[in-house]
Amino acid sequence: MTDERDEDAPVIKVTDKRRFAKLEGVEGSAEEAEPSVGTPEEGGDELAAAQAKADEYLAHLQRLQAEFDNYRKRVLREQTAAVELAAEPVMRRLLEVLDDFELALIHAEEKPDYDRFLHGVELVYAKLLDALRSEGLERTEALGTPFDPEVHEALLQTGDGDGEPVVADVLRPGYMLKGRVIRPAGVRVERK
């Protein structure tokens, strides 16, 4: 590397006066002459203080980790309990339907009257549908609609045409829960 100084510029020497002050006693006091790094004893104190601070930070971090782990476990327990408790109202309504089915079966064994039995089953079925509708369950209407793979499941296909597929027959009803498909309708698709 070349030195690109101007040859006419004066050379300035810089010296650390603290080094010479101790030797010559000319400038500054003894405190100013000591290096700012400190003596080995002071360095040891600084090291011990830094180590104590690091230990304090480590202990704090460990407490935070333990608190976060406890928080995560508590939230998981609370979410599990919330899901379990969310099903309780639905189960209570379905228990009423179950009771009605049991009563219908008991009466069918005692006096087999087909018309009354059929009427009782229809009432229980209506009660079950009402309970499920109140929880947001809807049956998807598929017959005659264009085939939609998100709502329908093609079980059979008929027709050799090139047109758009249309639902010709519903083999298994589909259901949506609060606007989300939980079971697609099993359908026969026909191309015209």
Side-chain angles (χ1 to χ4, degrees):
M1 183 178 238
T2 60
D3 191 8
E4 298 182 9
R5 287 186 298 172
D6 187 10
E7 291 184 22
D8 297 333
V11 177
I12 300 174
K13 287 188 172 184
V14 178
T15 58
D16 187 4
K17 292 185 179 181
R18 291 177 293 178
R19 273 181 48 201
F20 296 107
K22 211 174 203 184
L23 296 174
E24 299 174 2
V26 175
E27 294 179 8
S29 66
E31 291 177 4
E32 291 176 353
E34 291 183 17
S36 63
V37 177
T39 61
E41 290 130 13
E42 288 176 357
D45 290 343
E46 288 177 10
L47 182 61
Q51 184 64 39
K53 195 77 164 169
D55 291 342
E56 180 183 334
Y57 287 148
L58 179 63
H60 182 67
L61 177 64
Q62 289 171 338
R63 279 193 304 276
L64 283 176
Q65 281 180 320
E67 287 175 11
F68 181 73
D69 194 39
N70 292 338
Y71 167 77
R72 188 178 47 80
K73 289 176 184 176
R74 186 180 72 241
V75 166
L76 185 62
R77 273 193 316 271
E78 289 172 356
Q79 287 176 344
T80 303
V83 168
E84 290 171 358
L85 292 176
E88 185 178 342
V90 176
M91 291 300 123
R92 285 181 191 214
R93 294 193 72 172
L94 291 179
L95 284 175
E96 294 174 15
V97 174
L98 185 65
D99 292 341
D100 291 345
F101 266 122
E102 287 177 1
L103 286 174
L105 291 174
I106 288 171
H107 289 297
E109 288 177 4
E110 292 174 1
K111 302 183 250 178
D113 182 5
Y114 178 75
D115 290 334
R116 290 185 69 200
F117 179 73
L118 179 62
H119 181 67
V121 169
E122 287 173 345
L123 288 174
V124 173
Y125 178 73
K127 193 172 189 177
L128 176 63
L129 278 180
D130 183 50
L132 294 174
R133 277 191 193 121
S134 69
E135 294 300 321
L137 186 73
E138 301 172 16
R139 182 180 249 178
T140 56
E141 296 300 324
L143 190 60
T145 62
F147 177 74
D148 182 358
E150 292 187 18
V151 181
H152 308 123
E153 180 181 0
L155 300 177
L156 297 170
Q157 182 175 349
T158 58
D160 295 330
D162 291 334
E164 290 294 316
V166 176
V167 175
D169 193 17
V170 178
L171 305 172
R172 181 191 70 218
Y175 292 94
M176 298 178 85
L177 181 62
K178 298 180 181 177
R180 195 173 126 241
V181 176
I182 60 171
R183 185 175 85 179
V187 298
R188 178 175 61 88
V189 178
E190 185 174 88
R191 289 183 184 265
K192 296 184 180 184

